[in-house]
Amino acid sequence: AQSVTQLDSQVPVFEEAPVELRCNYSSSVSVYLFWYVQYPNQGLQLLLKYLSGSTLVKGINGFEAEFNKSQTSFHLRKPSVHISDTAEYFCAVKGGGKLIFGQGTELSVKP
Amino acid sequence: DVKVTQSSRYLVKRTGEKVFLECVQDMDHENMFWYRQDPGLGLRLIYFSYDVKMKEKGDIPEGYSVSREKKERFSLILESASTNQTSMYLCASSQGSNLWGTDTQYFGPGTRLTVL
């Protein structure tokens, strides 16, 4: 069965600092991987997705993620965060026709 | 832009009440989903539907049922609400008739349900 683990439940960071949100998955088949963001009091919005091809995927709002098959990881990065990036971030893997989500990481950007 | 709307942002009900959560999408999507979101647990799939009048159980269907009479509308029903169903409920939809595909899921804003 496929599963997703987000290694950090909370990540505090100062404005303009770089950030990495970690995600590991387990899967015995081809993987499709996603990162979603949930701003306060809103639904989820797609940041980026990996389906095939280049292992470095660029998304919206300056985020990018790298698919690493050998380490079964799909970490999300941003070189310089803004206050407006404060949100909860979810990693997900597509499996059995369903999206399987990680537990979420709360990114808190402080001035 | 895809729009997924949910009938209420906040809802307070009493134990034992029958609760209806409504979701409507405006992009003619084939697939619709209901999730619940709880702190530390991420999103868990309750039910999904890949066609009108079709439904499939997700990972946590107990205590819930669904209805999809029209393509654009997917309802989640709590037959007899209990306090452990207090949660955030998120609806989503995706395009295409192939659930195994890679279509993006689009989410509604969520309904925060409190059962007293």
Side-chain angles (χ1 to χ4, degrees):
Chain A
Q2 287 158 307
S3 65
V4 176
T5 301
Q6 291 182 242
L7 297 160
D8 306 294
S9 59
Q10 294 179 322
V11 174
V13 65
F14 287 106
E15 195 173 19
E16 298 183 8
V19 71
E20 179 180 81
L21 306 184
R22 297 180 294 167
C23 172
N24 285 92
Y25 68 91
S26 66
S27 174
S28 58
V29 297
S30 297
V31 290
Y32 304 125
L33 294 158
F34 303 78
W35 274 100
Y36 281 84
V37 60
Q38 184 179 34
Y39 297 105
N41 298 315
Q42 294 186 27
L44 274 68
Q45 177 183 353
L46 182 69
L47 267 180
L48 49 81
K49 61 183 177 182
Y50 171 79
L51 305 180
S52 64
S54 173
T55 57
L56 184 62
V57 182
K58 293 192 184 297
I60 62 171
N61 300 339
F63 283 92
E64 62 181 32
E66 185 159 17
F67 170 60
N68 188 320
K69 188 174 182 179
S70 62
Q71 296 187 8
T72 61
S73 68
F74 191 55
H75 300 334
L76 182 71
R77 301 186 183 100
K78 186 169 182 178
S80 176
V81 294
H82 302 290
I83 298 285
S84 60
D85 292 322
T86 293
E88 189 158 20
Y89 293 78
F90 292 93
C91 182
V93 62
K94 193 76 176 287
K98 302 182 291 185
L99 269 182
I100 299 161
F101 286 87
Q103 302 90 330
T105 297
E106 285 187 28
L107 175 64
S108 174
V109 181
K110 302 178 187 307
Chain B
D1 279 352
V2 175
K3 193 164 185 184
V4 180
T5 57
Q6 296 183 229
S7 51
S8 305
R9 292 300 303 271
Y10 300 93
L11 209 53
V12 180
K13 296 292 182 181
R14 296 208 174 272
T15 301
E17 280 193 79
K18 190 169 186 176
V19 181
F20 294 87
L21 303 183
E22 306 286 342
C23 174
V24 177
Q25 49 93 4
D26 67 356
M27 284 301 292
D28 202 37
H29 282 176
E30 303 285 341
N31 308 321
M32 296 188 75
F33 308 82
W34 274 107
Y35 296 88
R36 65 177 281 174
Q37 180 183 7
D38 300 289
L41 297 177
L43 277 72
R44 293 178 291 166
L45 183 64
I46 305 172
Y47 267 96
F48 60 102
S49 167
Y50 51 88
D51 201 354
V52 176
K53 297 192 185 295
M54 304 301 289
K55 60 185 179 184
E56 293 285 341
K57 292 180 179 179
D59 299 316
I60 52 164
E62 296 79 19
Y64 304 94
S65 62
V66 290
S67 172
R68 194 169 180 199
E69 297 295 320
K70 294 185 178 181
K71 191 175 185 180
E72 67 272 17
R73 188 180 296 269
F74 192 36
S75 302
L76 179 69
I77 303 155
L78 287 65
E79 295 289 342
S80 178
S82 63
T83 54
N84 63 13
Q85 292 178 309
T86 292
S87 186
M88 170 73 90
Y89 290 88
L90 292 166
C91 175
S93 71
S94 68
Q95 188 177 16
S97 58
N98 180 8
L99 275 175
W100 295 85
T102 56
D103 300 327
T104 297
Q105 287 189 21
Y106 296 88
F107 285 80
T111 296
R112 187 167 294 282
L113 172 67
T114 301
V115 182
L116 301 175

